[in-house]
Amino acid sequence: MADIDALATGSQLNPAESRFPHKLSAYFGTPGNALITIASLVAIAALIKLAFAWLVLNAVFAGTPADCKLASGACWPFLREKLRFILFGFYPFDQQWRPFMAVLLFLVSCGISMVPRLWSRSLLMAWFLLVLPALYIVMAGGFFGLTPVPTAQWGGLPLSFMLSFIGLSTGLPLGIALALARASSLPVIRILGVSIIEMVRGVPLISILFMATVMLPLFMPDGMTIDKLLRAQLAISIFAAAYIAEIVRGGLQSVPRGQIEAGQSLGLHYWQSMFMIVLPQALRKVIPPLVALFIGFFQDTTLVTIIGLLDFLDTMRSALRSPEWQGIAVIEGYLFAAAVYFLFSALMGIYSRFLEQHFRTTHE
């Protein structure tokens, strides 16, 4: 019937499409495609069988390190025993409900803030006046009867979230300012912006963390110290700002010059044209590279181990080095860490695609 319709309309059917549904023709439409598809399916099935045997059939779900040594599968008792240390580091054991509540509050706040129709100045003020102070009070204590916990004992997943989120949140406005400075027509401002961006981008993050931790105290007045965590946070913010500036500058260059001239013809001055016309378009176009940068910084927080801070991956390494579990559950530990990083990176990627689709459908 389809052939008759095709003849009636004068169109010709692809022989492959006539034998396979449209969605399957890409996989089995030709002998080569069919061979590659079948070989891939066989390889995937073999990998799933091996993984299932290691993860479930031959795994140890309860027991001691000695039981894990005798087994040929995964050692899940390691994660059950070390999970709290992996997630919260050296935070006092009896107070670990506080970092758990802090992470929960952070994730809920992020979930609410990810809804575009809720974006407003009120939401921004809520973050600065309610969410961030609440997170600090819950983690640091000293208020409402909470036991004070120094930042040296913060670690694990809350530390990774805090370093990446606050670093990028504070780096974004600074990066936009640097991008505008680099694109400025005023020579002094432009040279200053270019100098800061190139100087920061010219050294690795490890060097900036090292300088912020070791060298910065040497220039401080006697008796004045800055918390090590704050110094690391400042270094990450500055480093992120330099890279965000270059991404935003690319977005600014993609906005036609006529947009600025149109704003000027309406009587808008420079800042009104930038914040009302140019920047919204520029930022919308750089969402994918910004999200890629955010994902990269979330994973690069592991570099803070060089200055003595234990983020999520470092607490995992510390757990693996404990005497009773040393050399027993290495694969399980790194698989768990990879799963956590993959989960949050995948969620950020999904949200990036959602934003692209949202702005495309609502503004174009």
Side-chain angles (χ1 to χ4, degrees), residues 205-233:
L205 177 59
I206 291 179
S207 300
I208 296 180
L209 287 170
F210 184 77
M211 286 189 289
T213 304
V214 178
M215 298 186 65
L216 182 61
L218 300 178
F219 298 98
M220 302 299 295
D222 292 339
M224 182 178 180
T225 58
I226 300 178
D227 187 84
K228 183 167 63 176
L229 179 59
L230 182 59
R231 279 177 274 162
Q233 188 70 82

Side-chain angles (χ1 to χ4, degrees), residues 156-338:
L157 203 55
L159 183 67
S160 296
F161 281 141
M162 187 187 68
L163 289 174
S164 56
F165 176 77
I166 296 180
L168 293 168
S169 299
T170 54
L172 182 60
L174 181 58
I176 293 174
L178 289 173
L180 293 176
R182 184 159 190 167
S184 173
S185 58
L186 300 176
V188 175
I189 300 298
R190 186 173 63 252
I191 292 173
L192 185 62
V194 171
S195 301
I196 295 175
I197 293 172
E198 296 303 330
M199 185 172 60
V200 175
R201 293 177 68 220
V203 294
L205 177 59
I206 291 179
S207 300
I208 296 180
L209 287 170
F210 184 77
M211 286 189 289
T213 304
V214 178
M215 298 186 65
L216 182 61
L218 300 178
F219 298 98
M220 302 299 295
D222 292 339
M224 182 178 180
T225 58
I226 300 178
D227 187 84
K228 183 167 63 176
L229 179 59
L230 182 59
R231 279 177 274 162
Q233 188 70 82
L234 182 64
I236 291 176
S237 298
I238 294 174
F239 193 77
Y243 281 86
I244 291 174
E246 285 302 278
I247 293 175
V248 174
R249 185 172 68 91
L252 292 175
Q253 291 179 338
S254 67
V255 179
R257 176 70 184 172
Q259 298 281 329
I260 300 176
E261 295 173 350
Q264 293 173 343
S265 67
L266 294 174
L268 301 179
H269 56 68
Y270 173 80
W271 293 111
Q272 287 177 322
S273 299
M274 277 294 165
F275 285 103
M276 298 174 65
I277 298 176
V278 179
L279 274 178
Q281 298 181 68
L283 293 178
R284 187 186 65 180
K285 293 181 179 179
V286 298
I287 288 175
L290 279 179
V291 173
L293 182 70
F294 287 3
I295 294 173
F297 267 92
F298 175 63
Q299 298 168 354
D300 286 344
T301 56
T302 57
L303 296 175
V304 297
T305 184
I306 196 173
I307 58 175
L309 298 176
L310 292 181
D311 78 324
F312 173 66
L313 188 59
D314 293 317
T315 54
M316 173 63 73
R317 290 171 179 160
S318 299
L320 292 173
R321 287 195 292 266
S322 60
E324 68 273 22
W325 293 103
Q326 192 166 19
I328 296 177
V330 177
I331 297 176
E332 294 84 344
Y334 282 110
L335 272 180
F336 178 70

Side-chain angles (χ1 to χ4, degrees), residues 42-96:
V42 171
I44 292 172
L47 288 175
I48 291 176
K49 181 181 178 181
L50 291 174
F52 185 75
W54 186 79
L55 292 169
V56 180
L57 297 180
N58 300 326
V60 177
F61 291 93
T64 63
D67 297 326
C68 290
K69 283 184 178 179
L70 298 176
S72 59
C75 178
W76 299 125
F78 165 75
L79 289 179
R80 189 179 60 190
E81 182 175 326
K82 296 293 184 180
L83 183 61
R84 292 182 63 169
F85 176 78
I86 293 169
L87 293 179
F88 307 123
F90 290 102
Y91 206 90
F93 190 82
D94 60 333
Q95 298 289 321
Q96 288 183 352

